[in-house]
Amino acid sequence: MTRVFVTGAAGFIGSNVVDRLLSEGLEVVGWDNFSTGRREFLAGALARPGGRFRLVEGDNLDLPALTRAMTGCDFVFHLAANADVRFGTEHPKKDLEQNTVATFHVLEAMRATGARRLAFSSTGSIYGEASVIPTPEDAPFPVQTSLYGASKLAGEGLISAYAEGFGFEGFIFRFVSILGERYTHGHVFDFFRQLREHPERLCILGDGSQRKSYLHVDDCLDAMLHAIRLGSAAPRKVHIYNLGTAEYCRVTDSVGWICAHLGLKPKFEFTGGDRGWIGDNPFIFLDTARIVATGWKPKLGIREGVVRTLDWLGQNPGCLDRS
Amino acid sequence: MTRVFVTGAAGFIGSNVVDRLLSEGLEVVGWDNFSTGRREFLAGALARPGGRFRLVEGDNLDLPALTRAMTGCDFVFHLAANADVRFGTEHPKKDLEQNTVATFHVLEAMRATGARRLAFSSTGSIYGEASVIPTPEDAPFPVQTSLYGASKLAGEGLISAYAEGFGFEGFIFRFVSILGERYTHGHVFDFFRQLREHPERLCILGDGSQRKSYLHVDDCLDAMLHAIRLGSAAPRKVHIYNLGTAEYCRVTDSVGWICAHLGLKPKFEFTGGDRGWIGDNPFIFLDTARIVATGWKPKLGIREGVVRTLDWLGQNPGCLDRS
């Protein structure tokens, strides 16, 4: 890993990856179509002396431009995605194009340019409603319940097939929900925005009993870089890791932490039912024994991740207005 | 199931499905782009009195035309595919477009027209190199080894997500290799063609030790229709069944049956290695306990399937020339 191409470079996780790679002395080419990415997330990277960061604006659906931008890179972090799991049924084409076809284009660009190693942000959503919880990487063959999960599963399948067929090395990371600095969507975001607008009441999707897992973005980055560095020593073509903490929380737990941290006592309004939306998974908890066995462990628990996210949102209220 | 839309209607399995549905008194709309489909396979369907069959020529990548053709149908057999697992690495885009994107379009056309039930020809290839053999439907989460398998996995994921998100009912059939009348590609085809050209020698991919499973097309159709009729009684949104026989054979077994049936004693030339091509799976054997438990069982063994396929090829040598 010397010159790294990062798709979704202006996004939440992507911009954190860019900063981390630059701080480790690597050269980075950032690629983003700015559909949801934010230029200010790359302000630090662009301001760094030494010229090790280059930003190219472009879309993953434009394969020739993607190929040109990637030329000369030897490792790809493919993080660009439609990361919205909740509204998939409103625009099914978005997941197909921005996740499945986009991943195909990234692989084709790699094939054309000679880059052979990539890391991919997959998701615990691909386990659907898992029959085994905590869910390990080799859980029983899942049935998809969301267009988002299906599109990420398709991306994983493509990466594995390219690894077998074209000698690629793939690192597939199945994330729980990621929290932290530059977080731009998700329940902490929704709740924080609501409470800013009307501190006296909070609308909660479902009945609040949904059990979910979260990981702080710093821990997520540590885990990915740790696994990638190990990977080269292992003879496998595809390395698949769940990334999360060894705990989960209920939506009501998180609501309690958020209200306590903000010093608010809103009235709760539940929309009802055991799911927040169609395809919502009422219990996500991944078995992270595989990555833990390699020597990584998270530094922050879910509560600390939620609190740090709240603090960042409080310091960056502009992000609330533009989402 | 009253008026059925069949994609890939002029193909091997599709044309057999068309004939079967018509013989059961249903109305059928056949859809094919004739990229590999053959008009003569539909001659019988088109010649039937009563006008219950309509053929529409079109491509799954043309969503408006697909939607128009599907209008008024209440069940879809989505059988159109790039069915070639061997040459995936020569044209990765073909699997993405003709399998993944095509399946997305079929689902979108169903969403637009109101059709809500479909059957899908998936494949045992989605298990990759399975860690459990015989491989059940809920085998450990597989790693893809072919672009074909990855594209079918993506199709399965889309169908399941549409079932959850839009109230579809999906029947996903994971086929072993299908043999029988109108068979147009595969090892029996290759071997028959070779022996017709040069009866004194036979080139065999790999070392011949590969273990594979086969099912006759009549048994395949019986199983699909049986499962679909059961399905309506069951409350599940997605029904997933492996389809195969309770046996497998080595390539050398099949070679022996073929040579014995044709009365030939060719010299064998093995290309060597335990795989026939990149991504070839040296051992495919599916656990069919789930479909067998519903009361279906195959009528023909692998050897009988191979022999009937040979006889059909012998009677239809024109098919050899046009492949």
Side-chain angles (χ1 to χ4, degrees):
Chain A
M1 192 155 64
T2 308
R3 196 167 174 207
V4 184
F5 191 78
V6 180
T7 76
F12 165 35
I13 301 171
S15 64
N16 277 291
V17 166
V18 166
D19 286 346
R20 176 74 71 94
L21 295 174
L22 290 171
S23 75
E24 297 195 359
L26 297 165
E27 283 186 64
V28 178
V29 177
W31 169 260
D32 207 295
N33 66 359
F34 291 97
S35 65
T36 58
R38 296 181 183 184
R39 288 181 195 279
E40 64 265 33
F41 289 173
L42 293 172
L46 287 164
R48 263 181 183 267
R52 282 189 288 104
F53 179 63
R54 191 160 60 90
L55 173 64
V56 184
E57 184 166 346
D59 195 288
N60 280 327
L61 297 180
D62 181 352
L63 179 54
L66 176 64
T67 306
R68 281 193 301 277
M70 194 186 287
T71 301
C73 293
D74 63 345
F75 194 100
V76 175
F77 273 88
H78 175 37
L79 306 171
N82 170 39
D84 172 58
V85 60
R86 184 170 151 202
F87 295 101
T89 52
E90 291 180 15
H91 37 58
K93 196 172 186 175
K94 203 165 167 179
D95 282 311
L96 180 82
E97 288 189 345
Q98 296 190 12
N99 297 353
T100 305
V101 177
T103 300
F104 173 74
H105 283 175
V106 167
L107 292 165
E108 283 292 279
M110 289 177 66
R111 198 155 73 94
T113 61
R116 286 294 176 267
R117 304 175 70 221
L118 82 159
F120 177 59
S121 51
S122 186
T123 167
S125 294
I126 63 163
Y127 295 116
E129 295 203 8
S131 55
V132 178
I133 296 177
T135 311
E137 290 86 350
D138 59 355
F141 203 139
V143 176
Q144 298 307 306
T145 53
S146 70
L147 289 153
Y148 174 71
S151 70
K152 285 289 188 178
L153 178 72
E156 285 200 11
L158 283 165
I159 290 167
S160 301
Y162 271 69
E164 183 71 31
F166 298 116
F168 283 33
E169 184 178 27
F171 296 86
I172 292 172
F173 298 103
R174 295 178 181 155
F175 295 169
V176 297
S177 297
I178 308 297
L179 296 171
E181 290 68 24
R182 300 180 186 157
Y183 171 88
T184 54
H185 76 282
H187 89 282
V188 181
F189 189 94
D190 290 340
F191 290 169
F192 185 84
R193 179 152 62 178
Q194 280 194 56
L195 291 170
R196 195 157 159 265
E197 285 174 16
H198 44 72
E200 74 287 356
R201 63 188 164 86
L202 181 66
C203 178
I204 299 167
L205 296 175
D207 62 8
S209 72
Q210 305 98 300
R211 290 165 287 181
K212 305 279 186 174
S213 300
Y214 301 91
L215 181 69
H216 190 273
V217 65
D218 287 348
D219 281 325
C220 174
L221 266 54
D222 286 347
M224 289 197 287
L225 291 166
H226 174 77
I228 290 163
R229 274 152 192 163
L230 277 180
S232 310
R236 271 173 301 157
K237 295 162 186 162
V238 184
H239 313 263
I240 301 172
Y241 292 103
N242 287 338
L243 296 191
T245 63
E247 55 175 352
Y248 61 85
C249 69
R250 291 188 184 268
V251 171
T252 46
D253 294 330
S254 181
V255 166
W257 301 331
I258 291 169
C259 293
H261 191 68
L262 299 177
L264 296 173
K265 290 188 177 171
K267 184 171 177 296
F268 301 144
E269 296 165 2
F270 295 97
T271 62
D274 64 349
R275 285 166 171 73
W277 58 87
I278 293 172
D280 183 25
N281 185 344
F283 190 11
I284 296 180
F285 182 33
L286 304 187
D287 184 337
T288 54
R290 185 182 286 178
I291 183 86
V292 168
T294 69
W296 169 86
K297 66 178 179 189
K299 294 188 180 76
L300 299 175
I302 295 179
R303 181 174 184 157
E304 290 165 290
V306 168
V307 166
R308 281 181 54 162
T309 305
L310 284 174
D311 288 342
W312 184 81
L313 289 170
Q315 290 151 16
N316 294 272
C319 281
L320 294 172
D321 304 324
R322 268 165 295 162
S323 181
Chain B
M1 191 153 65
T2 307
R3 197 168 174 207
V4 185
F5 191 80
V6 180
T7 76
F12 166 35
I13 300 171
S15 65
N16 278 290
V17 166
V18 167
D19 286 347
R20 175 73 71 94
L21 296 173
L22 290 171
S23 76
E24 296 194 0
L26 298 166
E27 286 186 61
V28 179
V29 177
W31 170 261
D32 208 294
N33 66 358
F34 291 97
S35 65
T36 59
R38 295 179 184 186
R39 289 180 194 281
E40 64 266 33
F41 289 173
L42 293 173
L46 288 164
R48 262 182 183 267
R52 282 189 288 104
F53 179 63
R54 192 160 60 89
L55 173 64
V56 184
E57 184 166 346
D59 194 288
N60 280 328
L61 297 180
D62 181 352
L63 179 56
L66 175 65
T67 306
R68 282 193 301 276
M70 193 187 287
T71 302
C73 294
D74 63 344
F75 195 100
V76 175
F77 273 88
H78 175 37
L79 306 172
N82 170 40
D84 172 59
V85 60
R86 186 171 149 202
F87 296 102
T89 51
E90 291 180 14
H91 37 59
K93 196 174 186 175
K94 204 167 169 178
D95 282 311
L96 180 82
E97 288 189 345
Q98 297 190 12
N99 297 352
T100 306
V101 177
T103 299
F104 173 74
H105 283 174
V106 167
L107 292 164
E108 282 292 279
M110 290 178 65
R111 198 156 72 94
T113 62
R116 286 293 176 270
R117 304 174 70 220
L118 83 158
F120 177 60
S121 52
S122 187
T123 168
S125 294
I126 62 165
Y127 296 115
E129 297 204 5
S131 55
V132 178
I133 297 177
T135 311
E137 290 87 349
D138 59 355
F141 204 140
V143 175
Q144 299 307 306
T145 53
S146 70
L147 288 153
Y148 174 71
S151 70
K152 286 288 188 178
L153 178 72
E156 285 200 10
L158 283 164
I159 289 167
S160 301
Y162 272 68
E164 184 71 29
F166 300 116
F168 283 33
E169 185 178 24
F171 297 87
I172 292 171
F173 299 103
R174 295 177 182 156
F175 295 170
V176 296
S177 298
I178 308 296
L179 296 171
E181 290 69 21
R182 301 180 186 157
Y183 170 89
T184 53
H185 75 281
H187 89 282
V188 182
F189 190 96
D190 290 339
F191 290 170
F192 185 84
R193 179 153 62 180
Q194 280 195 56
L195 292 169
R196 194 158 159 265
E197 286 174 14
H198 45 71
E200 73 288 356
R201 62 187 163 85
L202 182 65
C203 177
I204 299 167
L205 297 176
D207 62 9
S209 72
Q210 305 99 300
R211 289 165 289 180
K212 304 279 188 174
S213 299
Y214 302 91
L215 182 69
H216 189 273
V217 66
D218 288 348
D219 282 324
C220 174
L221 265 55
D222 286 347
M224 288 197 287
L225 291 166
H226 175 77
I228 290 164
R229 275 155 191 160
L230 277 180
S232 309
R236 271 173 302 157
K237 295 162 187 164
V238 184
H239 313 263
I240 301 172
Y241 292 103
N242 286 339
L243 296 190
T245 63
E247 54 175 352
Y248 62 84
C249 70
R250 289 187 186 270
V251 171
T252 46
D253 295 330
S254 182
V255 166
W257 302 332
I258 291 169
C259 293
H261 191 68
L262 300 177
L264 297 173
K265 289 188 178 172
K267 183 170 178 297
F268 301 143
E269 296 165 2
F270 295 96
T271 61
D274 65 350
R275 283 166 173 74
W277 58 86
I278 292 171
D280 184 24
N281 185 342
F283 190 12
I284 297 181
F285 182 33
L286 303 187
D287 184 336
T288 55
R290 186 182 286 178
I291 182 88
V292 168
T294 69
W296 169 86
K297 65 178 180 189
K299 295 189 180 74
L300 299 174
I302 295 179
R303 181 175 184 156
E304 291 166 288
V306 168
V307 166
R308 282 181 55 163
T309 304
L310 284 175
D311 288 343
W312 184 81
L313 288 171
Q315 290 151 18
N316 295 274
C319 281
L320 295 173
D321 303 324
R322 267 165 295 160
S323 181

